[in-house]
Amino acid sequence: MKAGIIGATGYGGLELIRLLHRHREVESLDLFTSSGEGKILSHKYAHLMNIHDTPLHRIDLDHLASLDVVFTSTPSGVSSKLLPSLIGKGPRLIDLSGDFRLPEKEYEQWYKKEAAPVDALNQSVYGLTEWNRDQIKDASLVANPGCYPTAVLLALLPAVKNGLIDASHLIIDAKSGVSGAGNKPSELTHFSETNENLSIYKVNQHQHIPEIEQGLELFSIKQPPITFSTHLVPMTRGILSASYAPLADGATEKQLIECYKETYHEELFVRFSENGGKLGTNQVYGSNYCDIQLYTDPRTNRVTMVSVIDNLVKGAAGQAIQNMNLQFRFPEETSLDVVPLFI
């Protein structure tokens, strides 16, 4: 297979390189840039020395059309201009940017950018692997989910779909490491602003709010508006999502546990633990796993649904490769069966 990455110099692109390098079916990996044509990526990122020392390519549609698969790990508003002309021209397209996740009006409202053409949006398939395999397999264009929605939806969907919680009173609290903001310096991610500091941001305005609501509706029921709060934690990687909702009338903790066990018992990358215990981002660091636990409180009749992922792997590059494996009928774990880096 011949693969290409547009946006290879960002954190998501670097993770794609790391994981695709060990993919036994990928023969060549071409890296594309909108600026810096001819530069050697390993000169900027020394960890790639003697691994990927080839020059970066300029973005050329004919070159891209000759590949088997193209990943776009670009800022929002870029892939919406590049990918429509490649749909149906040869390569499978997997977009990590968010440009094809939402309908036109919602995208422009929340991202404050011009949306992709409607024809392209209509051909995109939402790439939440564990819940949308049949659609992903034959899709020309996959809209890879955002990191927060991946963590939230995997933790919520079994309970919502099976009517075990009252989703009209759903509150979601999520925390992310700094790499989720990308590698462009900003006031929010400046060391002196982030170190020894926990901050809330984009209150009631985060662009992943409509994506979570859409995902809940796509795979379960029409969802009332959610309350979703995001926080920046002074660490490099990881997302911890904690969602709170009342148990539905008549629902029990035993029913919840059995529902999650049944939903995910054959999944390679979703690990549900029914025994509680320790749950933290370091147990999935560098891996494609999503770990989930439930906690019910008989005093308040509420359930807390907690999940952890690595935002750059299961929340980005890893899930994208899992979707590629589905599309090309490879085992889903190909190149992704790595042990988390715990220490």
Side-chain angles (χ1 to χ4, degrees):
M1 280 185 59
K2 296 179 180 179
I5 302 171
I6 302 174
T9 60
Y11 292 148
L14 291 173
E15 282 297 272
L16 284 167
I17 294 169
R18 179 175 75 90
L19 295 168
L20 288 171
H21 177 75
R22 65 190 305 273
H23 199 295
R24 63 176 179 264
E25 302 291 346
V26 175
E27 178 185 82
S28 65
L29 182 58
D30 292 341
L31 310 181
F32 298 85
T33 179
S34 58
S35 61
E37 176 190 354
K39 292 182 178 178
I40 307 298
L41 191 60
S42 60
H43 291 178
K44 180 177 181 180
Y45 295 108
H47 71 288
L48 294 175
M49 184 166 40
N50 298 336
I51 297 172
H52 217 292
D53 296 324
T54 55
L56 295 168
H57 299 281
R58 68 180 178 87
I59 296 174
D60 177 84
L61 293 179
D62 289 335
H63 186 168
L64 291 165
S66 71
L67 303 175
D68 297 300
V69 61
V70 173
F71 299 90
T72 46
S73 183
T74 57
S76 57
V78 176
S79 61
S80 61
K81 305 295 190 297
L82 288 173
L83 294 189
S85 61
L86 288 171
I87 296 175
K89 297 294 177 62
R92 297 293 185 100
L93 308 171
I94 302 177
D95 178 52
L96 284 70
S97 76
D99 282 3
F100 297 92
R101 296 174 192 157
L102 297 174
E104 180 182 17
K105 290 183 179 179
E106 283 81 356
Y107 178 86
E108 293 180 348
Q109 175 187 348
W110 290 87
Y111 281 81
K112 312 302 182 187
K113 298 179 185 292
E114 182 182 355
V118 174
D119 287 348
L121 292 173
N122 290 340
Q123 293 183 70
S124 69
V125 169
Y126 192 59
L128 190 66
T129 316
E130 285 78 10
W131 286 83
N132 209 22
R133 283 192 177 90
D134 290 342
Q135 297 297 317
I136 293 167
K137 284 180 180 178
D138 298 314
S140 298
L141 171 60
V142 172
N144 220 56
C147 51
Y148 279 127
T150 296
V152 171
L153 290 170
L154 289 175
L156 283 178
L157 279 169
V160 175
K161 183 177 182 180
N162 290 280
L164 296 173
I165 61 172
D166 181 355
S168 66
H169 292 86
L170 180 60
I171 296 174
I172 306 166
D173 177 279
K175 299 172 176 64
S176 174
V178 183
S179 61
N183 66 357
K184 299 295 184 184
S186 70
E187 181 179 349
L188 181 68
T189 60
H190 193 288
F191 177 82
S192 59
E193 298 282 347
T194 305
N195 186 49
E196 300 293 341
N197 185 33
L198 175 62
S199 59
I200 189 169
Y201 67 101
K202 291 187 178 180
V203 180
N204 300 326
Q205 297 178 3
H206 201 286
Q207 68 272 18
H208 287 163
I209 291 173
E211 185 181 339
I212 293 169
E213 293 174 346
Q214 176 181 266
L216 289 170
E217 184 172 341
L218 181 63
F219 301 114
S220 56
I221 59 173
K222 186 169 179 60
Q223 174 63 35
I226 61 171
T227 296
F228 175 63
S229 298
T230 55
H231 306 78
L232 187 64
V233 181
M235 64 184 188
T236 302
R237 292 175 182 245
I239 283 177
L240 186 148
S241 168
S243 301
Y244 311 91
L247 280 166
D249 290 342
T252 66
E253 180 181 43
K254 182 178 179 181
Q255 286 177 313
L256 268 174
I257 290 172
E258 290 304 315
C259 172
Y260 278 76
K261 287 169 63 176
E262 174 65 23
T263 300
Y264 289 130
H265 76 284
E266 292 185 346
E267 292 297 342
L268 296 170
F269 295 115
V270 179
R271 304 187 296 191
F272 171 66
S273 172
E274 62 179 296
N275 299 318
K278 183 181 179 182
L279 183 67
T281 57
N282 65 347
Q283 69 194 52
V284 295
Y285 196 99
S287 80
N288 198 50
Y289 290 110
C290 174
D291 288 0
I292 299 172
Q293 289 185 10
L294 306 177
Y295 308 86
T296 56
D297 184 352
R299 188 177 63 87
T300 62
N301 197 43
R302 283 186 170 272
V303 57
T304 302
M305 296 149 282
V306 185
S307 62
V308 291
I309 65 169
D310 184 315
N311 56 293
L312 294 177
V313 189
K314 187 58 173 171
Q319 187 164 212
I321 294 170
Q322 193 177 351
N323 286 329
M324 181 197 79
N325 288 338
L326 263 178
Q327 291 181 308
F328 289 92
R329 309 313 194 252
F330 304 142
E332 277 185 45
E333 70 272 21
T334 307
S335 88
L336 300 173
D337 53 346
V338 296
V339 176
L341 185 64
F342 182 71
I343 297 296

